[in-house]
Protein backbone atom coordinates (compact mmCIF):
# COMPACT_ATOMS: atom_id res chain seq x y z
CA UNK A 1 0.00 0.00 0.00
CA UNK A 2 2.90 2.38 0.74
CA UNK A 3 4.17 2.30 -2.84
CA UNK A 4 0.68 2.70 -4.21
CA UNK A 5 -0.10 5.71 -2.04
CA UNK A 6 3.19 7.29 -3.03
CA UNK A 7 1.98 7.15 -6.62
CA UNK A 8 -1.38 8.63 -5.59
CA UNK A 9 0.30 11.47 -3.68
CA UNK A 10 1.69 12.78 -6.95
CA UNK A 11 -1.85 13.20 -8.31
CA UNK A 12 -3.79 14.79 -5.44
CA UNK A 13 -3.46 17.97 -3.39
CA UNK A 14 -5.47 16.78 -0.42
CA UNK A 15 -4.12 14.77 2.49
CA UNK A 16 -3.58 11.04 2.10
CA UNK A 17 -3.88 9.12 5.37
CA UNK A 18 -2.98 5.51 6.15
CA UNK A 19 -2.81 3.50 9.38
CA UNK A 20 0.76 4.62 10.01
CA UNK A 21 -0.13 8.32 10.00
CA UNK A 22 -0.98 10.50 12.96
CA UNK A 23 -4.67 11.28 12.98
CA UNK A 24 -5.68 8.02 11.31
CA UNK A 25 -8.19 7.10 14.00
CA UNK A 26 -9.85 10.51 13.82
CA UNK A 27 -9.90 10.40 10.02
CA UNK A 28 -11.55 6.97 9.89
CA UNK A 29 -14.22 7.70 12.51
CA UNK A 30 -17.80 8.09 11.27
CA UNK A 31 -21.06 9.24 12.82
CA UNK A 32 -22.27 5.74 13.69
CA UNK A 33 -19.65 4.31 16.06
CA UNK A 34 -21.05 0.84 15.44
CA UNK A 35 -18.92 0.81 12.27
CA UNK A 36 -15.34 0.73 13.56
CA UNK A 37 -13.64 0.03 10.24
CA UNK A 38 -10.02 0.37 9.12
CA UNK A 39 -9.63 1.67 5.56
CA UNK A 40 -6.37 1.02 3.76
CA UNK A 41 -6.19 4.63 2.66
CA UNK A 42 -8.25 7.77 3.21
CA UNK A 43 -8.05 10.60 0.69
CA UNK A 44 -9.24 13.93 2.07
CA UNK A 45 -9.94 15.45 -1.32
CA UNK A 46 -9.29 19.14 -1.86
CA UNK A 47 -11.20 19.44 -5.13
CA UNK A 48 -12.85 17.55 -7.97
CA UNK A 49 -9.48 16.73 -9.53
CA UNK A 50 -8.54 14.86 -6.36
CA UNK A 51 -11.78 12.89 -6.54
CA UNK A 52 -11.11 11.97 -10.16
CA UNK A 53 -7.62 10.75 -9.27
CA UNK A 54 -8.85 8.79 -6.24
CA UNK A 55 -11.62 7.03 -8.17
CA UNK A 56 -9.18 6.04 -10.92
CA UNK A 57 -6.64 4.88 -8.34
CA UNK A 58 -9.18 2.67 -6.56
CA UNK A 59 -10.53 1.20 -9.79
CA UNK A 60 -7.12 0.47 -11.30
CA UNK A 61 -5.81 -0.94 -8.01
CA UNK A 62 -8.82 -3.17 -7.46
CA UNK A 63 -9.64 -1.45 -4.16
CA UNK A 64 -13.13 -1.32 -2.71
CA UNK A 65 -14.29 2.29 -2.67
CA UNK A 66 -16.39 4.15 -0.10
CA UNK A 67 -17.49 7.77 -0.40
CA UNK A 68 -17.99 9.99 2.65
CA UNK A 69 -19.71 13.35 2.62
CA UNK A 70 -21.06 14.33 6.02
CA UNK A 71 -20.29 10.86 7.41
CA UNK A 72 -23.83 10.42 8.77
CA UNK A 73 -24.57 7.14 6.98
CA UNK A 74 -26.19 4.86 9.57
CA UNK A 75 -25.18 1.73 7.60
CA UNK A 76 -21.59 2.99 7.64
CA UNK A 77 -21.34 3.45 3.87
CA UNK A 78 -18.78 6.24 4.38
CA UNK A 79 -16.10 3.79 5.48
CA UNK A 80 -14.74 0.38 4.56
CA UNK A 81 -12.23 -2.19 5.79
CA UNK A 82 -9.07 -2.34 3.71
CA UNK A 83 -10.26 -0.22 0.80
CA UNK A 84 -10.10 3.45 -0.14
CA UNK A 85 -12.29 6.16 1.39
CA UNK A 86 -12.92 9.32 -0.57
CA UNK A 87 -13.50 11.95 2.13
CA UNK A 88 -15.25 15.00 0.65
CA UNK A 89 -15.46 17.01 3.87
CA UNK A 90 -12.92 19.60 2.69
CA UNK A 91 -15.03 20.34 -0.40
CA UNK A 92 -17.63 22.21 1.63
CA UNK A 93 -17.85 25.52 -0.23
CA UNK A 94 -21.26 27.19 -0.70
CA UNK A 95 -21.79 30.00 -3.22
CA UNK A 96 -25.12 31.86 -3.23
CA UNK A 97 -26.63 33.85 -6.10
CA UNK A 98 -29.35 35.82 -4.28
CA UNK A 99 -30.84 37.22 -7.50
CA UNK A 100 -31.39 33.81 -9.07
CA UNK A 101 -31.99 32.22 -5.65
CA UNK A 102 -29.51 29.49 -6.46
CA UNK A 103 -26.70 27.93 -4.42
CA UNK A 104 -23.74 25.89 -5.63
CA UNK A 105 -22.76 23.50 -2.85
CA UNK A 106 -19.64 21.38 -2.53
CA UNK A 107 -20.13 17.64 -2.22
CA UNK A 108 -18.70 17.56 1.31
CA UNK A 109 -20.84 20.36 2.74
CA UNK A 110 -23.32 19.84 5.54
CA UNK A 111 -26.69 21.52 5.69
CA UNK A 112 -25.23 23.67 8.45
CA UNK A 113 -22.80 25.02 5.86
CA UNK A 114 -25.70 25.70 3.50
CA UNK A 115 -27.80 27.38 6.21
CA UNK A 116 -24.87 29.61 7.19
CA UNK A 117 -24.41 30.80 3.61
CA UNK A 118 -28.06 31.21 2.61
CA UNK A 119 -29.69 32.69 5.73
CA UNK A 120 -28.14 36.19 5.37
CA UNK A 121 -30.06 36.45 2.09
CA UNK A 122 -33.29 35.21 3.66
CA UNK A 123 -33.03 31.96 1.70
CA UNK A 124 -32.83 28.24 2.41
CA UNK A 125 -32.42 24.94 0.60
CA UNK A 126 -34.75 22.07 1.53
CA UNK A 127 -32.78 19.63 3.66
CA UNK A 128 -33.42 17.48 6.71
CA UNK A 129 -33.87 18.15 10.45
CA UNK A 130 -30.24 17.87 11.65
CA UNK A 131 -27.79 20.42 10.29
CA UNK A 132 -24.70 18.20 10.69
CA UNK A 133 -26.13 15.90 8.02
CA UNK A 134 -24.16 15.84 4.77
CA UNK A 135 -25.79 17.45 1.75
CA UNK A 136 -24.64 14.66 -0.56
CA UNK A 137 -26.01 11.62 1.22
CA UNK A 138 -29.30 13.20 2.20
CA UNK A 139 -29.95 14.68 -1.24
CA UNK A 140 -29.08 11.62 -3.31
CA UNK A 141 -31.50 9.53 -1.24
CA UNK A 142 -34.35 12.02 -1.65
CA UNK A 143 -34.11 14.59 1.12
CA UNK A 144 -36.99 14.73 3.63
CA UNK A 145 -37.17 17.53 6.20
CA UNK A 146 -38.87 20.64 7.52
CA UNK A 147 -39.46 22.18 4.07
CA UNK A 148 -40.75 19.06 2.28
CA UNK A 149 -44.44 19.95 2.37
CA UNK A 150 -43.75 23.50 1.18
CA UNK A 151 -40.94 23.03 -1.36
CA UNK A 152 -40.66 19.29 -2.01
CA UNK A 153 -37.77 16.93 -1.42
CA UNK A 154 -34.17 18.08 -1.72
CA UNK A 155 -33.98 16.36 -5.11
CA UNK A 156 -36.99 18.35 -6.33
CA UNK A 157 -34.87 21.46 -5.89
CA UNK A 158 -31.71 20.09 -7.48
CA UNK A 159 -30.88 21.93 -10.71
CA UNK A 160 -27.65 20.19 -11.65
CA UNK A 161 -24.84 18.06 -10.28
CA UNK A 162 -21.18 17.62 -11.20
CA UNK A 163 -20.41 13.90 -10.99
CA UNK A 164 -17.17 11.93 -11.09
CA UNK A 165 -17.98 8.66 -12.83
CA UNK A 166 -16.49 5.21 -12.35
CA UNK A 167 -14.07 5.77 -15.23
CA UNK A 168 -12.63 8.88 -13.54
CA UNK A 169 -14.29 11.45 -15.80
CA UNK A 170 -16.37 14.31 -14.40
CA UNK A 171 -19.61 15.22 -16.15
CA UNK A 172 -22.49 17.55 -15.42
CA UNK A 173 -25.98 16.11 -15.06
CA UNK A 174 -29.11 18.24 -15.39
CA UNK A 175 -32.36 18.38 -17.32
CA UNK A 176 -30.27 19.39 -20.34
CA UNK A 177 -27.12 17.24 -19.99
CA UNK A 178 -26.86 13.54 -19.23
CA UNK A 179 -30.54 13.57 -18.43
CA UNK A 180 -30.70 9.85 -17.63
CA UNK A 181 -27.97 10.27 -15.02
CA UNK A 182 -29.70 13.31 -13.55
CA UNK A 183 -32.92 11.33 -13.23
CA UNK A 184 -31.09 8.50 -11.44
CA UNK A 185 -29.17 10.75 -9.06
CA UNK A 186 -32.44 12.13 -7.71
CA UNK A 187 -33.26 9.27 -5.35
CA UNK A 188 -30.86 6.56 -6.51
CA UNK A 189 -28.31 7.15 -3.76
CA UNK A 190 -24.56 6.95 -4.32
CA UNK A 191 -24.79 4.28 -7.01
CA UNK A 192 -23.73 6.37 -10.00
CA UNK A 193 -20.69 8.38 -9.01
CA UNK A 194 -19.27 10.97 -6.65
CA UNK A 195 -21.09 14.30 -6.72
CA UNK A 196 -18.55 17.06 -6.20
CA UNK A 197 -20.99 19.94 -6.65
CA UNK A 198 -24.74 20.40 -6.26
CA UNK A 199 -26.77 23.30 -7.65
CA UNK A 200 -29.97 23.99 -5.69
CA UNK A 201 -32.98 26.19 -6.14
CA UNK A 202 -33.41 28.21 -2.95
CA UNK A 203 -36.57 29.46 -1.25
CA UNK A 204 -37.52 32.53 0.74
CA UNK A 205 -37.07 31.31 4.31
CA UNK A 206 -35.68 33.63 6.95
CA UNK A 207 -36.98 33.58 10.51
CA UNK A 208 -39.52 30.90 11.30
CA UNK A 209 -41.70 29.79 14.20
CA UNK A 210 -40.86 26.37 15.51
CA UNK A 211 -39.75 24.01 18.24
CA UNK A 212 -41.06 20.95 20.08
CA UNK A 213 -44.37 20.61 21.91
CA UNK A 214 -44.37 17.93 24.65
CA UNK A 215 -47.54 15.97 25.47
CA UNK A 216 -48.12 13.26 28.05
CA UNK A 217 -47.42 9.80 26.68
CA UNK A 218 -50.94 8.80 27.75
CA UNK A 219 -52.27 11.30 25.20
CA UNK A 220 -50.21 9.86 22.35
CA UNK A 221 -53.10 8.12 20.59
CA UNK A 222 -55.18 11.28 20.51
CA UNK A 223 -52.18 13.36 19.43
CA UNK A 224 -51.29 10.94 16.63
CA UNK A 225 -54.86 10.76 15.38
CA UNK A 226 -55.24 14.52 15.44
CA UNK A 227 -51.86 15.07 13.84
CA UNK A 228 -52.67 12.59 11.08
CA UNK A 229 -55.90 14.38 10.24
CA UNK A 230 -54.52 17.91 10.55
CA UNK A 231 -51.31 17.47 8.52
CA UNK A 232 -53.33 16.08 5.61
CA UNK A 233 -54.95 19.50 5.08
CA UNK A 234 -52.64 21.93 6.90
CA UNK A 235 -51.04 24.84 5.03
CA UNK A 236 -47.98 23.60 3.18
CA UNK A 237 -45.79 26.16 4.95
CA UNK A 238 -46.13 23.92 8.02
CA UNK A 239 -43.54 21.22 8.44
CA UNK A 240 -44.17 19.02 11.45
CA UNK A 241 -43.09 15.58 12.58
CA UNK A 242 -44.25 13.36 15.46
CA UNK A 243 -41.92 11.48 17.78
CA UNK A 244 -41.29 9.84 21.15
CA UNK A 245 -39.00 11.69 23.54
CA UNK A 246 -37.58 10.87 26.94
CA UNK A 247 -37.38 14.34 28.48
CA UNK A 248 -33.79 15.61 28.55
CA UNK A 249 -32.42 17.90 31.24
CA UNK A 250 -33.16 21.23 29.54
CA UNK A 251 -34.38 24.54 31.04
CA UNK A 252 -37.89 24.34 29.58
CA UNK A 253 -38.51 20.84 31.01
CA UNK A 254 -39.91 20.84 34.57
CA UNK A 255 -37.26 19.41 36.89
CA UNK A 256 -39.54 16.68 38.17
CA UNK A 257 -40.28 15.48 34.61
CA UNK A 258 -36.70 14.98 33.39
CA UNK A 259 -36.37 11.34 32.32
CA UNK A 260 -40.11 10.84 31.75
CA UNK A 261 -41.36 9.62 28.37
CA UNK A 262 -43.46 12.04 26.32
CA UNK A 263 -44.74 12.23 22.80
CA UNK A 264 -43.77 15.33 20.84
CA UNK A 265 -44.78 17.30 17.80
CA UNK A 266 -42.08 19.41 16.18
CA UNK A 267 -43.67 22.10 14.01
CA UNK A 268 -41.73 24.46 11.76
CA UNK A 269 -43.94 27.25 10.41
CA UNK A 270 -42.41 29.18 7.51
CA UNK A 271 -45.54 31.12 6.63
CA UNK A 272 -46.55 34.60 7.70
CA UNK A 273 -45.69 35.36 11.32
CA UNK A 274 -49.16 36.76 11.98
CA UNK A 275 -50.69 33.35 11.11
CA UNK A 276 -48.56 31.43 13.60
CA UNK A 277 -51.07 31.17 16.43
CA UNK A 278 -53.90 30.15 14.12
CA UNK A 279 -51.86 27.31 12.63
CA UNK A 280 -50.06 26.09 15.76
CA UNK A 281 -53.03 26.30 18.11
CA UNK A 282 -54.61 23.48 16.12
CA UNK A 283 -51.72 21.34 17.34
CA UNK A 284 -51.82 22.68 20.88
CA UNK A 285 -55.51 21.79 21.07
CA UNK A 286 -54.89 18.09 20.43
CA UNK A 287 -54.03 17.56 24.11
CA UNK A 288 -52.55 19.53 26.98
CA UNK A 289 -49.02 20.69 26.20
CA UNK A 290 -46.87 19.90 29.23
CA UNK A 291 -43.67 21.63 28.06
CA UNK A 292 -42.55 23.42 24.94
CA UNK A 293 -39.72 25.26 23.27
CA UNK A 294 -41.74 26.88 20.49
CA UNK A 295 -40.62 30.36 19.49
CA UNK A 296 -39.54 32.68 16.71
CA UNK A 297 -36.00 31.84 15.54
CA UNK A 298 -33.75 31.88 12.47
CA UNK A 299 -34.24 28.86 10.23
CA UNK A 300 -30.62 27.71 10.85
CA UNK A 301 -31.41 27.56 14.58
CA UNK A 302 -34.43 25.37 13.90
CA UNK A 303 -32.41 23.11 11.63
CA UNK A 304 -29.76 22.60 14.33
CA UNK A 305 -32.09 22.36 17.32
CA UNK A 306 -31.56 18.61 17.77
CA UNK A 307 -27.88 18.34 16.83
CA UNK A 308 -26.80 17.79 20.43
CA UNK A 309 -29.41 15.08 20.92
CA UNK A 310 -27.82 12.85 18.28
CA UNK A 311 -24.07 13.54 18.51
CA UNK A 312 -21.29 11.99 16.50
CA UNK A 313 -19.95 8.72 17.92
CA UNK A 314 -23.13 7.08 19.24
CA UNK A 315 -24.33 3.56 18.41
CA UNK A 316 -27.06 3.68 15.75
CA UNK A 317 -29.47 1.09 14.40
CA UNK A 318 -32.54 2.17 12.39
CA UNK A 319 -35.48 0.68 10.49
CA UNK A 320 -37.89 2.44 8.14
CA UNK A 321 -41.00 2.16 5.99
CA UNK A 322 -43.21 4.32 3.86
CA UNK A 323 -46.86 4.63 4.90
CA UNK A 324 -49.83 4.82 2.57
CA UNK A 325 -52.33 5.23 5.42
CA UNK A 326 -51.82 5.78 9.15
CA UNK A 327 -54.65 3.66 10.55
CA UNK A 328 -55.95 3.60 14.12
CA UNK A 329 -54.62 0.04 14.42
CA UNK A 330 -51.16 1.24 13.39
CA UNK A 331 -51.36 4.03 15.96
CA UNK A 332 -52.08 1.43 18.64
CA UNK A 333 -48.94 -0.49 17.62
CA UNK A 334 -46.85 2.69 17.66
CA UNK A 335 -48.05 3.49 21.16
CA UNK A 336 -47.40 -0.05 22.42
CA UNK A 337 -43.78 -0.03 21.25
CA UNK A 338 -43.13 3.65 21.81
CA UNK A 339 -43.80 2.99 25.49
CA UNK A 340 -40.55 1.01 25.57
CA UNK A 341 -38.33 3.73 24.08
CA UNK A 342 -34.99 2.80 25.68
CA UNK A 343 -32.77 5.89 25.47
CA UNK A 344 -33.06 9.68 25.48
CA UNK A 345 -31.63 9.78 21.94
CA UNK A 346 -33.87 6.99 20.59
CA UNK A 347 -37.24 7.60 19.00
CA UNK A 348 -39.67 6.88 16.23
CA UNK A 349 -40.09 9.94 14.03
CA UNK A 350 -43.02 10.19 11.65
CA UNK A 351 -42.23 12.60 8.81
CA UNK A 352 -44.98 13.83 6.44
CA UNK A 353 -44.20 13.67 2.71
CA UNK A 354 -47.39 15.12 1.29
CA UNK A 355 -47.91 18.62 -0.11
CA UNK A 356 -45.34 19.77 -2.66
CA UNK A 357 -43.53 16.42 -2.62
CA UNK A 358 -46.63 14.70 -4.02
CA UNK A 359 -46.93 17.08 -6.97
CA UNK A 360 -43.90 15.46 -8.61
CA UNK A 361 -44.68 12.39 -10.68
CA UNK A 362 -43.44 9.00 -9.50
CA UNK A 363 -41.41 8.58 -12.71
CA UNK A 364 -40.05 12.15 -12.89
CA UNK A 365 -37.21 11.30 -10.49
CA UNK A 366 -35.77 8.06 -9.18
CA UNK A 367 -37.65 8.62 -5.89
CA UNK A 368 -40.71 6.58 -6.80
CA UNK A 369 -42.80 6.70 -3.62
CA UNK A 370 -44.73 9.86 -4.39
CA UNK A 371 -48.06 8.40 -3.31
CA UNK A 372 -46.95 7.82 0.28
CA UNK A 373 -48.13 10.05 3.12
CA UNK A 374 -45.47 9.51 5.77
CA UNK A 375 -41.89 8.31 6.11
CA UNK A 376 -41.36 6.87 9.60
CA UNK A 377 -38.01 5.90 11.06
CA UNK A 378 -37.44 3.83 14.18
CA UNK A 379 -34.11 5.25 15.30
CA UNK A 380 -32.22 3.40 17.98
CA UNK A 381 -29.43 5.68 19.21
CA UNK A 382 -27.45 4.98 22.40
CA UNK A 383 -23.95 5.42 23.78
CA UNK A 384 -22.86 2.14 25.38
CA UNK A 385 -21.87 -0.73 23.04
CA UNK A 386 -22.60 -3.15 25.86
CA UNK A 387 -26.28 -2.29 25.37
CA UNK A 388 -26.33 -3.03 21.63
CA UNK A 389 -28.35 -6.22 21.83
CA UNK A 390 -31.21 -4.71 23.85
CA UNK A 391 -31.42 -1.55 21.77
CA UNK A 392 -31.28 -3.36 18.44
CA UNK A 393 -33.99 -5.70 19.69
CA UNK A 394 -36.26 -2.73 20.49
CA UNK A 395 -35.90 -1.44 16.92
CA UNK A 396 -36.46 -4.84 15.32
CA UNK A 397 -39.45 -5.73 17.49
CA UNK A 398 -41.01 -2.34 16.79
CA UNK A 399 -40.42 -2.70 13.04
CA UNK A 400 -41.72 -6.29 12.91
CA UNK A 401 -44.93 -5.17 14.61
CA UNK A 402 -45.57 -2.01 12.59
CA UNK A 403 -44.44 -3.09 9.12
CA UNK A 404 -47.60 -5.10 8.34
CA UNK A 405 -49.57 -1.87 8.80
CA UNK A 406 -47.50 0.23 6.42
CA UNK A 407 -49.17 -0.69 3.15
CA UNK A 408 -45.72 -0.52 1.52
CA UNK A 409 -42.84 -2.94 1.13
CA UNK A 410 -40.28 -0.18 0.68
CA UNK A 411 -38.78 2.48 2.91
CA UNK A 412 -36.64 5.60 2.65
CA UNK A 413 -33.07 4.54 1.83
CA UNK A 414 -31.58 7.27 4.03
CA UNK A 415 -33.24 5.66 7.06
CA UNK A 416 -32.03 2.10 6.38
CA UNK A 417 -29.44 0.01 8.26
CA UNK A 418 -26.70 -2.18 6.84
CA UNK A 419 -28.81 -5.35 7.05
CA UNK A 420 -31.51 -3.98 4.74
CA UNK A 421 -29.78 -4.90 1.48
CA UNK A 422 -32.48 -7.47 0.72
CA UNK A 423 -35.02 -4.63 0.49
CA UNK A 424 -33.23 -2.70 -2.25
CA UNK A 425 -35.75 -3.31 -5.03
CA UNK A 426 -38.67 -2.39 -2.76
CA UNK A 427 -36.90 0.68 -1.39
CA UNK A 428 -36.36 2.09 -4.87
CA UNK A 429 -39.90 1.13 -5.83
CA UNK A 430 -41.25 0.97 -9.35
CA UNK A 431 -38.14 2.75 -10.67
CA UNK A 432 -35.70 0.00 -9.69
CA UNK A 433 -35.50 -1.61 -13.15
CA UNK A 434 -34.84 1.72 -14.84
CA UNK A 435 -32.18 2.52 -12.25
CA UNK A 436 -30.46 -0.78 -13.04
CA UNK A 437 -30.39 0.21 -16.72
CA UNK A 438 -28.78 3.57 -15.91
CA UNK A 439 -26.32 1.83 -13.59
CA UNK A 440 -25.26 -0.42 -16.48
CA UNK A 441 -24.45 2.68 -18.55
CA UNK A 442 -22.52 4.70 -15.96
CA UNK A 443 -21.10 2.04 -13.62
CA UNK A 444 -21.26 -1.35 -15.37
CA UNK A 445 -18.59 -2.86 -13.09
CA UNK A 446 -20.37 -1.68 -9.92
CA UNK A 447 -17.39 0.32 -8.69
CA UNK A 448 -19.80 2.29 -6.48
CA UNK A 449 -21.27 -0.62 -4.53
CA UNK A 450 -20.84 0.51 -0.91
CA UNK A 451 -24.40 1.83 -0.69
CA UNK A 452 -27.97 0.62 -0.94
CA UNK A 453 -26.70 -1.11 -4.02
CA UNK A 454 -28.35 -1.30 -7.40
CA UNK A 455 -26.89 -4.09 -9.49
CA UNK A 456 -26.22 -3.08 -13.12
CA UNK A 457 -28.73 -4.55 -15.54
CA UNK A 458 -27.43 -7.35 -17.73
CA UNK A 459 -26.45 -6.14 -21.21
CA UNK A 460 -25.78 -7.82 -24.54
Amino acid sequence: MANLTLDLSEKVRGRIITASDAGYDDARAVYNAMHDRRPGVIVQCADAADVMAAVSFAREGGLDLAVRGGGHSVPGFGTIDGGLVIDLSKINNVQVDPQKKVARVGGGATFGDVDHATYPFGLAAPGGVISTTGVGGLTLGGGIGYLTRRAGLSIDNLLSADVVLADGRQVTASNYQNEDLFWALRGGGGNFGVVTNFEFQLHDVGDISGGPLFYEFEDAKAVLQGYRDYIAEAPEALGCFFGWQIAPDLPFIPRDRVGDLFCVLVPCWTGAAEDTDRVINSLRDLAEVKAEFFQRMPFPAMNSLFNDAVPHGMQNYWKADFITELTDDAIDVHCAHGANTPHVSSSMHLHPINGAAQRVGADETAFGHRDKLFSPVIAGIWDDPAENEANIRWVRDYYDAIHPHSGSEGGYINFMSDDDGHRVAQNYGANHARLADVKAIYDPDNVFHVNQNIQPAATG
Side-chain angles (χ1 to χ4, degrees), residues 45 59 78 90 127 168 211 228 233 281 290 294 298 388 430 438 440 442:
C45 296
R59 186 191 68 252
K90 305 300 182 183
R228 171 196 63 192
E233 304 294 339
N281 284 346
K290 306 303 291 187
F294 183 88
N388 284 12
V438 178
Y442 290 95

Side-chain angles (χ1 to χ4, degrees), residues 43 72 118 172 253 273 345:
V43 183
H72 264 238
T118 56
T172 298
I253 301 292
S345 294

Side-chain angles (χ1 to χ4, degrees), residues 83-131:
L84 185 147
V85 171
I86 290 179
D87 183 345
L88 300 173
S89 60
K90 305 300 182 183
I91 309 177
N92 62 350
N93 53 292
V94 181
Q95 295 177 306
V96 179
D97 184 331
Q99 280 70 46
K100 294 181 179 180
K101 298 182 181 179
V102 168
R104 293 182 62 82
V105 180
T110 66
F111 273 98
D113 296 324
V114 176
D115 292 341
H116 172 76
T118 56
Y119 175 73
F121 300 102
L123 301 170
V129 298
I130 302 291
S131 70

Side-chain angles (χ1 to χ4, degrees), residues 216-301:
E216 294 286 7
F217 178 82
E218 290 73 16
D219 292 326
K221 183 172 183 177
V223 172
L224 262 172
Q225 289 173 328
Y227 165 71
R228 171 196 63 192
D229 297 340
Y230 183 60
I231 205 69
E233 304 294 339
E236 291 181 359
L238 178 67
C240 182
F241 68 87
F242 173 93
W244 309 118
Q245 184 62 62
I246 295 174
D249 187 3
L250 293 173
F252 69 93
I253 301 292
R255 293 295 305 164
D256 62 342
R257 301 306 306 273
V258 172
D260 289 352
L261 177 63
F262 292 84
C263 65
V264 297
L265 290 175
V266 185
C268 175
W269 172 246
T270 63
E274 59 268 24
D275 293 332
T276 301
D277 288 344
R278 175 180 60 83
V279 173
I280 301 303
N281 284 346
S282 296
L283 300 176
R284 287 198 175 100
D285 291 343
L286 297 178
E288 182 181 357
V289 176
K290 306 303 291 187
E292 66 177 84
F293 187 72
F294 183 88
Q295 60 187 37
R296 197 76 178 162
M297 67 180 79
F299 180 71

Side-chain angles (χ1 to χ4, degrees), residues 20-49:
S20 62
D21 293 316
Y24 174 74
D25 285 336
D26 288 340
R28 70 184 180 87
V30 292
Y31 173 77
N32 185 0
M34 194 175 288
H35 304 292
D36 184 22
R37 297 176 185 154
R38 301 185 66 83
V41 58
I42 301 165
V43 183
Q44 294 181 335
C45 296
D47 51 28

